[in-house]
Amino acid sequence: MSESLTVATDTAVSLQYTLTKSDGSVVESGEINYIHGYGNIIPGLESGLEGAAVGANLQVEVPPELGYGESMDVEPQRVPRTAFPPDMEIENETQFHARGPQGEALPVWVVGLEEDIVLISPNHPLAGQTLHFDVTILGVRAATADEIQHGHTHGHDGHGHH
Ligand code: ZN
């Protein structure tokens, strides 16, 4: 593979990132490996990385509409813990799907926990936030056909399934 490969559709990208909110508080930092071009990461970050080379350090600002969406003005819903399967692990920011009025699957997030009550919201915990990513590109290579088909990276920088 060319050493000048840059981030583009069908490349396997590994990067190190720190995510900060507009108030300066750090949400998380870590490393991710993903196949570029398929919406595997949030849209605003994916487009911001387009064309970046290995070693590049980028500051990518992502508005809510290209991140986790606008925050809907709804109160969290209080659901008894007993409404969930007993073996289901529930913690803050756990995402699952609830049934909507037409039986459709709606993504919801746990936004609070009380003794016997789980607070759930249709808002992602980072909805309505402008996200600030500090990204360092660690690696870019051509993705294999298998990886593209699976939608994730394999090998030493991927996971061990198959
Ligand atoms: Zn796979």
Side-chain angles (χ1 to χ4, degrees):
M1 290 306 123
S2 161
E3 281 177 25
S4 63
L5 203 59
T6 57
V7 175
T9 296
D10 293 339
T11 57
V13 179
S14 70
L15 58 81
Q16 200 279 325
Y17 74 98
T18 299
L19 169 57
T20 308
K21 292 200 259 188
S22 289
D23 65 6
S25 62
V26 173
V27 178
E28 60 185 15
S29 63
E31 258 184 62
I32 46 177
N33 303 289
Y34 75 99
I35 309 296
H36 190 84
Y38 297 92
N40 292 317
I41 59 175
I42 59 170
L45 181 57
E46 186 163 53
S47 61
L49 298 176
E50 192 81 36
V54 175
N57 177 244
L58 300 93
Q59 314 296 319
V60 182
E61 189 177 298
V62 178
E65 64 270 23
L66 296 176
Y68 293 104
E70 299 290 351
S71 188
M72 288 172 273
D73 188 18
V74 287
E75 290 293 315
Q77 199 183 335
R78 300 171 65 85
V79 180
R81 179 64 178 86
T82 52
F84 297 87
D87 59 345
M88 184 179 170
E89 229 177 284
I90 298 179
E91 50 190 56
N92 259 321
E93 303 194 8
T94 297
Q95 190 207 345
F96 59 96
H97 287 87
R99 289 279 153 215
Q102 271 82 52
E104 72 275 30
L106 298 173
V108 292
W109 283 268
V110 175
V111 294
L113 293 166
E114 294 169 14
E115 197 175 343
D116 300 316
I117 296 290
V118 180
L119 294 163
I120 62 168
S121 168
N123 288 319
H124 185 279
L126 291 171
Q129 301 272 353
T130 295
L131 309 172
H132 304 265
F133 287 93
D134 183 324
V135 177
T136 301
I137 306 291
L138 303 176
V140 183
R141 60 173 172 79
T144 66
D146 259 7
E147 289 175 321
I148 292 166
Q149 198 187 359
H150 286 205
H152 53 235
T153 56
H154 293 160
H156 75 281
D157 59 353
H159 61 113
H161 91 127
H162 276 216

